[in-house]
Amino acid sequence: MTTTTKHDLISVITEDHRAFERIFKELESGKGGDQHRKDLADHVIAELVRHSVAEEQHMYPAARKHIPDGDDVVGHELEEHAEAERVMNDLIGLEPKDKRFDELVGKLIEDVRHHIEEEESDLLPKLQAACTPEDLRELGEKVLRAKEIAPTRPHPAAPDRPPANRLLAPGTAFIDKIRDALENRQT
């Protein structure tokens, strides 16, 4: 197993996964009022979108390049991203009083936990074994930079492969950030 550093790909991705889990647990606890639950949902959606965009821009192309079954693994991961985006898209704009809010939050949590389990048990170990420590550090830094300029809302119809996703993401993110500000949405 390769030694990791703070910003290598494996660390960056798994740190995000742990952060999602903390938010999921808080959402599942039912603590806090409606506005708090709405803010948590908006925040986790924004972070999930940023994470997914960065994976699609950098981690998945590396998987296609470096691991023998990369196309199949990435195809499955992209299907899971698309499903989560549909759920997030349905969840945005719902208030916690809406009966669908808790149902969709539960579905999103279940889907993302499943995705995390598969990534951490299959894709990440394969990438760690196939890439050099330098490659992993470079990928980790790219993922961190991509998250800074990624959209904050799901866009299920947006391209998920380079170069189109890299070209469109900054413009989409700009529009998302304007919408977030106008709606006073917590991201």
Side-chain angles (χ1 to χ4, degrees):
M1 195 172 259
T2 310
T3 303
T4 60
T5 63
K6 185 176 180 186
H7 291 130
D8 81 343
L9 177 69
I10 309 306
S11 298
V12 168
I13 298 298
T14 56
E15 285 172 17
D16 280 358
H17 291 170
R18 299 298 81 76
F20 299 148
E21 187 57 40
R22 286 190 295 275
I23 298 168
F24 293 163
K25 285 181 179 178
E26 189 167 350
L27 278 165
E28 290 172 325
S29 77
K31 294 179 183 173
D34 285 348
Q35 187 59 51
H36 178 68
R37 290 178 46 71
K38 174 72 173 143
D39 290 347
L40 279 175
D42 285 347
H43 175 69
V44 81
I45 287 169
E47 291 305 314
L48 284 166
V49 169
R50 288 179 180 122
H51 177 87
S52 295
V53 166
E55 284 184 337
E56 290 169 7
Q57 288 180 353
H58 300 290
M59 185 168 81
Y60 293 165
R64 288 181 193 278
K65 178 180 176 183
H66 293 290
I67 62 176
D69 59 345
D71 284 333
D72 293 336
V73 172
V74 169
H76 178 74
E77 299 293 324
L78 290 173
E79 287 173 16
E80 290 185 349
H81 277 201
E83 176 58 28
E85 282 195 63
R86 286 189 289 274
V87 173
M88 288 185 283
N89 201 45
D90 291 344
L91 185 57
I92 285 186
L94 287 183
E95 295 298 323
K97 290 183 186 341
D98 188 305
K99 65 180 180 172
R100 292 186 59 223
F101 182 86
D102 285 331
E103 173 188 323
L104 289 171
V105 165
K107 172 90 172 108
L108 181 63
I109 291 171
E110 179 184 329
D111 289 352
V112 173
R113 280 181 174 151
H114 170 80
H115 181 75
I116 287 170
E117 168 60 32
E118 285 187 343
E119 266 188 3
E120 290 186 7
S121 67
D122 186 41
L123 178 57
L124 294 178
K126 286 179 179 178
L127 276 170
Q128 192 167 33
C131 295
T132 67
E134 294 78 24
D135 288 339
L136 292 172
R137 276 192 298 281
E138 183 179 319
L139 285 166
E141 293 295 332
K142 286 179 178 179
V143 165
L144 288 172
R145 284 192 303 272
K147 286 174 46 179
E148 290 175 6
I149 60 169
T152 59
R153 294 169 181 254
H155 297 276
D160 55 19
R161 294 183 86 169
N165 64 354
R166 290 184 188 166
L167 294 172
L168 296 176
T172 304
F174 179 71
I175 293 167
D176 284 355
K177 287 175 174 69
I178 291 171
R179 287 177 62 200
D180 292 344
L182 291 172
E183 296 174 12
N184 201 25
R185 181 171 175 250
Q186 300 294 314
T187 59

